[in-house]
Amino acid sequence: LNPIMPEGPEVRRYADQLAGVLCGQKIVRVDARTKAAKAWLAEHPSTLIGRKVESVRSRGKNLVGTIEGGYYFYSHLMMWGRWQIEARDEEIP
């Protein structure tokens, strides 16, 4: 949403926008950039798929989201971070 490093108020708006799109929706795909996150996803390939996003909040310059089943995601946008939300042509059951 913003190509430069966001500060607190921008991160809050970003979290609100993500929450508006993601909350209540089922996860259909997850990608990660860091080695640790990629390794977790490789060890648990379908754990998050089909679970609903419950919330997305800002904490300082960080985004924290909760996922049903006691999971969460943490995201720091740093200088290059971004979220990409893609529209789907068909309904997800």
Side-chain angles (χ1 to χ4, degrees):
L1 299 172
N2 188 350
I4 59 173
M5 184 170 66
E7 298 295 333
E10 290 85 10
V11 177
R12 172 65 187 266
R13 282 193 294 275
Y14 198 36
D16 290 345
Q17 289 174 334
L18 284 172
V21 173
L22 297 178
C23 288
Q25 299 298 313
K26 291 182 181 180
I27 296 171
V28 295
R29 190 178 96 212
V30 179
D31 295 316
R33 184 188 58 81
T34 65
K35 288 180 186 178
K38 286 180 181 182
W40 190 91
L41 289 172
E43 292 171 11
H44 307 88
S46 61
T47 300
L48 299 177
I49 304 305
R51 295 182 187 271
K52 290 183 180 180
V53 175
E54 297 175 330
S55 69
V56 181
R57 295 178 305 247
S58 63
R59 292 290 181 256
K61 294 186 180 187
N62 308 291
L63 297 172
V64 180
T66 57
I67 301 168
E68 73 180 340
Y71 295 93
Y72 72 95
F73 63 83
Y74 163 83
S75 180
H76 189 294
L77 301 177
M78 298 185 185
M79 293 294 286
W80 56 85
R82 69 184 174 112
W83 277 75
Q84 182 172 329
I85 299 168
E86 300 171 0
R88 295 192 52 93
D89 292 333
E90 71 270 2
E91 180 83 17
I92 305 296

